[in-house]
């Protein structure tokens, strides 16, 4: 430790007076905001103090620090391997789009045009034609799909890319959740039949569920977006939807779209089928972004800072020496180093904090702020008893476990598994407590006021959703559909739409959202 | 096969008439240009026909297809693991730079300003201040290094990012070699002492050598750049230099810069050392890009197309069935599938091409075009003798090897190792044949005319290099220094500079370059 990138800001805070003016509160010792009282400020403080994010001098752009990138890379490794099993191949298309193709699909560009950033100059010269920066790559890629796809043997065409995209949003930017540049993967596939496209949409959606639930320990609801909320220019959109109890807002976690044949028509992506007839392809596109990380922070974080699920934590276990007066400090340090060695060799991500200029208590707070799932404390008494004390970040539970190699490894692994599971369970319980099933407009308004995730019978008419939006407009933002869950409760005959009074066609989640 | 992304363009070429106008020669069956006759056109044809690159509708931007990305990912996996061992951590800084910081280091921005792309609009609105797209990230990152680095415990700070950068070049764009957007990694490190910085510069340079020599089988020369050729704003630059015999041009393969304390001064990156004194950090930056792939294509490619070193090939072995009249075609196909299974299980990247609408001969040409290192042919006679025929891409050598599992695996692995080694040996021999050691100006001019890689005694004066550039200006481009190799021949006392006649201080490589 000490000479690693983490823990940088700390030493600043203990020095007498910061040398630069921009230095504010960078100490890892506690947050000034509380999650339940001041959620927005709490969130900003956590992502900065946990050293995930540094604010940048261009609004809406953020620096992703190593503590963040480790999480991103873990998810990437999982997802990339999974899509490779599905024979999806990685490629890289340019950052730039010419205006002609960008505007080819009308609904699509209407959805993105206001947010597109334009390059108009290079050096001192004006470009002949302004060039757009990709907000997403449908229009970048599909002219080439048209070129590459000729016969049925060219299908399916299944590509993915890991890249940055730019959406020059004007609403309140939020680290991870709403930023002007973000990292994502975008998959773009083309099939001969709708059936194949439909199948893939759900296969990918399941991977997104796994990212949220199995890695980030965030419960999500799988479902279909409404016509109003679907991807601009697409056929239908499925998503995994998360929920932030503190703000009572839903958040679209990741989307898997079936584009149907709409882009195929616009970009002339046709093929000769096995009967020698010309046919249009069926297309999908799907993406998840660094937003995932923001959702995780919001769901698990507490008043001590970040809480990381073990599966994505850069450091799963932090070992802290607890020297005491006349005790043999060197022996304690040696035990810490040997504990790191034992656990590392067992495949865990472990570090020890041997810095001599911080107290154990300070270190506890620091690593709690950074969200490390498990802390191991080693003091003279532990040494004497050949044990170590382990403290869980999620529950603050303390246990003593034996120092003996195999026993320690097994027990630490078991505790980490429990933490991973507990984070999901607790988050699910909190989310479920927010779910309110309603049937009438009055109940809807009441539930909305209580920041609920509202499950309501709906007639599935676009005009009705627009009407609900208009009627709930206000300071907090309007309510809208989040998704129609695949897992549908029984819809009794005669059930009416909560908003229009027409016969309901489905149960749909409604609420405010990010 | 058949429904994978590769081999897409082929089926187009055999169809009667392309449906789209932009369809030109996309067949894998032979090149129209020869490497020795028409190098530039040959190169463009290879990268397109091997399905590495697709030309894009914005000049200087290229689509990197899966065949390319597999190579990039293999190198990335190696390099990323190596730098992680060195405790370098990944991060991600924004694509955008505000003009203020971009212009902070004068020499640096002078070097990059003409190539910087500027965003001036979002949607229909003009931005208040134009925003630059990073051509490299020194000025993006270092304001934050200033903020993060306070005391000696914050050092070293060692970060890396994998990202895209944009340099709006106006000279002739060439796929991989000179493009307006490219992928790279950029490492940015800060140390308390010059000694640490110096050490890291060479450690990274050694990794770059390994990428070229051990992965891409391209011989490179390690050395130091001249004052004129070093990184704008840096202290000194080291590089690995490759050479393209066909054009007689050197090409800078990758660079590892010591930035000295210059940026530290401009960006106020100081720390309190262990004596409590304020000191400036020593910095390095280092990068390699997708250019590496272009160098590999140029060095190994031949008149049949691409030649891939086994270590980076997406497909190392292609298995082609060779049915014959009444022979049992199904048995042949089964043998192909089982061969793929055997070799895959041994960790090799193997595919079989069972398409029924192409002849074996067509398939041979196709996979030769794509540069697959080893072809296995299985026909009725092979089946009868329980053997397979293997054909090397690099030498066209044919051998029969037994079909028996272990023997086949061992022999195929051995042959792949030989191919990897042979590609490097042959490339090294060709490169070495181009090296010409000279002592006088006349010899220099003669060697330059013969497209040599010229090793010359030099006085190491900037004015003399400028003078040589001026005197050799012409259609082919001027000669300049490539590097002063670390591996210096003896410089006998009294040796004079080939260009100035002053006492020579070192042996330096000169030539035309990319």
């Amino acid at each position: 430790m000490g000479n690693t990138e983490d823990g940088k800001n700390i030493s600043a805070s203990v020095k007498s007076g910061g040398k630069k003016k921009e230095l504010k509160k960078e100490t890892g010792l506690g947050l000034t905001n509380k999650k339940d009282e001041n959620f927005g400020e709490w969130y900003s403080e956590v992502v900065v103090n946990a050293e995930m994010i540094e604010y940048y001098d261009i609004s809406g752009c953020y620096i992703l620090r190593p503590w963040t990138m480790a999480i991103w890379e873990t998810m990437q490794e999982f997802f990339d391997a999974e899509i490779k099993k599905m024979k999806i191949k990685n490629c890289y298309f340019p950052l730039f789009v010419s205006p002609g193709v960008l505007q080819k699909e009308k609904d699509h560009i209407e959805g993105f045009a206001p947010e597109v950033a334009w390059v108009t100059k290079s050096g001192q010269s004006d470009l002949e034609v302004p060039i757009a920066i990709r907000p997403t790559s449908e229009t970048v890629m599909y002219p080439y799909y048209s070129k590459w796809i000729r016969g049925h043997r060219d299908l399916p065409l299944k590509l993915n890319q890991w890249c940055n995209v730019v959406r020059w949003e004007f609403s309140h930017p939020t680290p991870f959740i709403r930023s002007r540049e973000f990292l994502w993967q975008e998959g773009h596939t083309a099939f001969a039949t709708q059936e194949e496209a439909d199948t893939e949409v759900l296969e990918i959606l399941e991977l997104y569920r796994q990212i949220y639930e199995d890695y980030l320990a965030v419960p999500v609801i799988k479902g279909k977006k409404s016509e109003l909320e679907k991807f601009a220019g697409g056929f239908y959109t499925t998503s995994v939807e998360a929920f932030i109890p503190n703000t009572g807002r839903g958040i679209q976690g990741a989307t898997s779209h079936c584009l149907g044949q709409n882009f195929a028509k616009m970009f002339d992506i046709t093929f000769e089928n096995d009967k020698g007839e010309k046919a249009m392809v069926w297309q999908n596109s799907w993406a998840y972004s660094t937003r995932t990380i923001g959702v995780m922070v919001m769901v698990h974080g507490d008043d001590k800072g970040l809480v990381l699920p073990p599966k994505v934590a850069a450091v799963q276990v932090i070992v802290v020496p607890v020297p005491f007066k006349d005790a043999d400090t060197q022996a304690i340090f040696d035990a810490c180093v040997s504990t790191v060695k034992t656990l590392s060799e067992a495949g865990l991500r472990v570090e020890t904090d041997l810095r001599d200029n911080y107290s154990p208590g300070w270190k506890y707070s620091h690593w709690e702020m950074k969200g490390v799932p498990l802390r191991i404390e080693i003091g003279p008494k532990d040494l004497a008893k050949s044990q170590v004390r382990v403290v869980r970040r999620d529950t603050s539970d303390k246990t003593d476990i034996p120092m003996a190699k195999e026993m320690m490894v097994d027990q630490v692994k078991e505790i980490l598994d429990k933490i991973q599971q507990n984070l999901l369970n607790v988050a699910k319980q909190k989310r479920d407590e927010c779910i309110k099933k309603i049937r009438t407009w009055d109940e809807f308004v009441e539930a909305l006021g209580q920041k609920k995730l509202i499950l309501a019978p709906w007639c599935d008419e676009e005009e009705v959703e627009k009407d609900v939006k208009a009627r709930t407009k206000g300071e907090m933002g309007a309510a809208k559909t989040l998704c129609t869950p695949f897992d549908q409760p029984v819809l009794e005959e005669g059930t009416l739409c909560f908003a229009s009074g027409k016969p309901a066609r489905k149960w749909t989640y409604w609420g405010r959202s990010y």
Side-chain angles (χ1 to χ4, degrees), chain A residues 141-154:
Chain A
M141 293 181 166
Y142 298 167
Y144 301 90
Y145 280 45
S146 166
K147 185 176 177 184
W148 295 333
I149 297 169
R150 306 286 159 154
H152 59 96
R153 284 194 172 81
D154 301 327

mmCIF file of all heavy atoms in Angstrom, chain A residues 141-154:
data_model
loop_
_atom_site.group_PDB
_atom_site.id
_atom_site.type_symbol
_atom_site.label_atom_id
_atom_site.label_comp_id
_atom_site.label_asym_id
_atom_site.label_seq_id
_atom_site.Cartn_x
_atom_site.Cartn_y
_atom_site.Cartn_z
ATOM 1 N N MET A 141 -23.194 1.649 -38.556
ATOM 2 C CA MET A 141 -22.904 0.275 -38.976
ATOM 3 C C MET A 141 -23.742 -0.227 -40.146
ATOM 4 O O MET A 141 -23.265 -0.984 -40.981
ATOM 5 C CB MET A 141 -23.158 -0.675 -37.792
ATOM 6 C CG MET A 141 -22.193 -0.497 -36.626
ATOM 7 S SD MET A 141 -22.624 -1.705 -35.328
ATOM 8 C CE MET A 141 -21.171 -1.645 -34.293
ATOM 9 N N TYR A 142 -25.012 0.173 -40.180
ATOM 10 C CA TYR A 142 -25.918 -0.556 -41.060
ATOM 11 C C TYR A 142 -25.680 -0.366 -42.555
ATOM 12 O O TYR A 142 -25.996 -1.271 -43.331
ATOM 13 C CB TYR A 142 -27.377 -0.303 -40.645
ATOM 14 C CG TYR A 142 -27.681 -0.797 -39.234
ATOM 15 C CD1 TYR A 142 -28.843 -0.431 -38.568
ATOM 16 C CD2 TYR A 142 -26.796 -1.634 -38.562
ATOM 17 C CE1 TYR A 142 -29.114 -0.878 -37.273
ATOM 18 C CE2 TYR A 142 -27.048 -2.076 -37.260
ATOM 19 C CZ TYR A 142 -28.209 -1.701 -36.628
ATOM 20 O OH TYR A 142 -28.466 -2.140 -35.355
ATOM 21 N N PRO A 143 -25.087 0.754 -42.991
ATOM 22 C CA PRO A 143 -24.744 0.802 -44.417
ATOM 23 C C PRO A 143 -23.795 -0.352 -44.795
ATOM 24 O O PRO A 143 -23.843 -0.843 -45.923
ATOM 25 C CB PRO A 143 -24.028 2.148 -44.566
ATOM 26 C CG PRO A 143 -24.557 2.991 -43.443
ATOM 27 C CD PRO A 143 -24.797 2.025 -42.320
ATOM 28 N N TYR A 144 -22.969 -0.780 -43.841
ATOM 29 C CA TYR A 144 -22.013 -1.844 -44.136
ATOM 30 C C TYR A 144 -22.650 -3.219 -43.980
ATOM 31 O O TYR A 144 -22.257 -4.172 -44.639
ATOM 32 C CB TYR A 144 -20.748 -1.655 -43.285
ATOM 33 C CG TYR A 144 -20.163 -0.306 -43.622
ATOM 34 C CD1 TYR A 144 -20.542 0.839 -42.922
ATOM 35 C CD2 TYR A 144 -19.365 -0.158 -44.744
ATOM 36 C CE1 TYR A 144 -20.095 2.091 -43.296
ATOM 37 C CE2 TYR A 144 -18.908 1.094 -45.137
ATOM 38 C CZ TYR A 144 -19.281 2.210 -44.408
ATOM 39 O OH TYR A 144 -18.852 3.449 -44.808
ATOM 40 N N TYR A 145 -23.658 -3.299 -43.127
ATOM 41 C CA TYR A 145 -24.426 -4.544 -43.065
ATOM 42 C C TYR A 145 -25.085 -4.761 -44.428
ATOM 43 O O TYR A 145 -25.152 -5.884 -44.926
ATOM 44 C CB TYR A 145 -25.489 -4.482 -41.956
ATOM 45 C CG TYR A 145 -24.937 -4.751 -40.569
ATOM 46 C CD1 TYR A 145 -23.753 -4.162 -40.137
ATOM 47 C CD2 TYR A 145 -25.596 -5.614 -39.686
ATOM 48 C CE1 TYR A 145 -23.249 -4.406 -38.872
ATOM 49 C CE2 TYR A 145 -25.097 -5.868 -38.419
ATOM 50 C CZ TYR A 145 -23.924 -5.258 -38.012
ATOM 51 O OH TYR A 145 -23.429 -5.514 -36.764
ATOM 52 N N SER A 146 -25.555 -3.675 -45.009
ATOM 53 C CA SER A 146 -26.164 -3.761 -46.337
ATOM 54 C C SER A 146 -25.163 -4.296 -47.350
ATOM 55 O O SER A 146 -25.490 -5.107 -48.214
ATOM 56 C CB SER A 146 -26.640 -2.363 -46.740
ATOM 57 O OG SER A 146 -26.942 -2.321 -48.107
ATOM 58 N N LYS A 147 -23.930 -3.866 -47.222
ATOM 59 C CA LYS A 147 -22.897 -4.297 -48.166
ATOM 60 C C LYS A 147 -22.487 -5.750 -47.920
ATOM 61 O O LYS A 147 -22.258 -6.507 -48.853
ATOM 62 C CB LYS A 147 -21.681 -3.380 -47.991
ATOM 63 C CG LYS A 147 -20.581 -3.624 -48.987
ATOM 64 C CD LYS A 147 -19.462 -2.623 -48.825
ATOM 65 C CE LYS A 147 -18.343 -2.962 -49.797
ATOM 66 N NZ LYS A 147 -17.180 -2.082 -49.625
ATOM 67 N N TRP A 148 -22.370 -6.118 -46.654
ATOM 68 C CA TRP A 148 -21.824 -7.438 -46.313
ATOM 69 C C TRP A 148 -22.848 -8.566 -46.454
ATOM 70 O O TRP A 148 -22.485 -9.722 -46.606
ATOM 71 C CB TRP A 148 -21.280 -7.432 -44.870
ATOM 72 C CG TRP A 148 -20.109 -6.528 -44.668
ATOM 73 C CD1 TRP A 148 -19.187 -6.152 -45.611
ATOM 74 C CD2 TRP A 148 -19.705 -5.888 -43.446
ATOM 75 N NE1 TRP A 148 -18.254 -5.310 -45.052
ATOM 76 C CE2 TRP A 148 -18.538 -5.134 -43.717
ATOM 77 C CE3 TRP A 148 -20.217 -5.886 -42.150
ATOM 78 C CZ2 TRP A 148 -17.882 -4.381 -42.752
ATOM 79 C CZ3 TRP A 148 -19.551 -5.138 -41.180
ATOM 80 C CH2 TRP A 148 -18.394 -4.398 -41.489
ATOM 81 N N ILE A 149 -24.106 -8.226 -46.277
ATOM 82 C CA ILE A 149 -25.125 -9.280 -46.299
ATOM 83 C C ILE A 149 -25.712 -9.404 -47.697
ATOM 84 O O ILE A 149 -26.290 -8.447 -48.218
ATOM 85 C CB ILE A 149 -26.242 -8.997 -45.267
ATOM 86 C CG1 ILE A 149 -25.655 -9.004 -43.859
ATOM 87 C CG2 ILE A 149 -27.379 -10.006 -45.410
ATOM 88 C CD1 ILE A 149 -26.603 -8.485 -42.788
ATOM 89 N N ARG A 150 -25.554 -10.579 -48.291
ATOM 90 C CA ARG A 150 -26.064 -10.830 -49.648
ATOM 91 C C ARG A 150 -27.005 -12.022 -49.658
ATOM 92 O O ARG A 150 -28.129 -11.946 -50.092
ATOM 93 C CB ARG A 150 -24.888 -11.127 -50.608
ATOM 94 C CG ARG A 150 -23.822 -10.070 -50.620
ATOM 95 C CD ARG A 150 -24.335 -8.879 -51.367
ATOM 96 N NE ARG A 150 -23.580 -7.690 -50.990
ATOM 97 C CZ ARG A 150 -23.447 -6.635 -51.780
ATOM 98 N NH1 ARG A 150 -24.021 -6.619 -52.968
ATOM 99 N NH2 ARG A 150 -22.783 -5.589 -51.363
ATOM 100 N N GLY A 151 -26.480 -13.138 -49.186
ATOM 101 C CA GLY A 151 -27.276 -14.365 -49.254
ATOM 102 C C GLY A 151 -27.563 -14.900 -47.865
ATOM 103 O O GLY A 151 -27.033 -14.398 -46.868
ATOM 104 N N HIS A 152 -28.378 -15.930 -47.797
ATOM 105 C CA HIS A 152 -28.763 -16.485 -46.488
ATOM 106 C C HIS A 152 -27.560 -17.050 -45.757
ATOM 107 O O HIS A 152 -27.557 -17.165 -44.547
ATOM 108 C CB HIS A 152 -29.851 -17.544 -46.671
ATOM 109 C CG HIS A 152 -29.455 -18.680 -47.549
ATOM 110 N ND1 HIS A 152 -28.976 -19.853 -47.068
ATOM 111 C CD2 HIS A 152 -29.445 -18.814 -48.903
ATOM 112 C CE1 HIS A 152 -28.698 -20.675 -48.073
ATOM 113 N NE2 HIS A 152 -28.980 -20.054 -49.204
ATOM 114 N N ARG A 153 -26.499 -17.392 -46.488
ATOM 115 C CA ARG A 153 -25.291 -17.904 -45.831
ATOM 116 C C ARG A 153 -24.552 -16.809 -45.067
ATOM 117 O O ARG A 153 -23.693 -17.101 -44.247
ATOM 118 C CB ARG A 153 -24.346 -18.517 -46.861
ATOM 119 C CG ARG A 153 -24.792 -19.874 -47.345
ATOM 120 C CD ARG A 153 -23.656 -20.547 -48.080
ATOM 121 N NE ARG A 153 -23.984 -21.927 -48.401
ATOM 122 C CZ ARG A 153 -24.714 -22.287 -49.431
ATOM 123 N NH1 ARG A 153 -25.202 -21.374 -50.258
ATOM 124 N NH2 ARG A 153 -24.977 -23.567 -49.654
ATOM 125 N N ASP A 154 -24.837 -15.564 -45.378
ATOM 126 C CA ASP A 154 -24.179 -14.467 -44.658
ATOM 127 C C ASP A 154 -24.855 -14.191 -43.311
ATOM 128 O O ASP A 154 -24.406 -13.336 -42.550
ATOM 129 C CB ASP A 154 -24.216 -13.183 -45.495
ATOM 130 C CG ASP A 154 -23.531 -13.369 -46.828
ATOM 131 O OD1 ASP A 154 -22.552 -14.137 -46.875
ATOM 132 O OD2 ASP A 154 -23.970 -12.766 -47.817
#
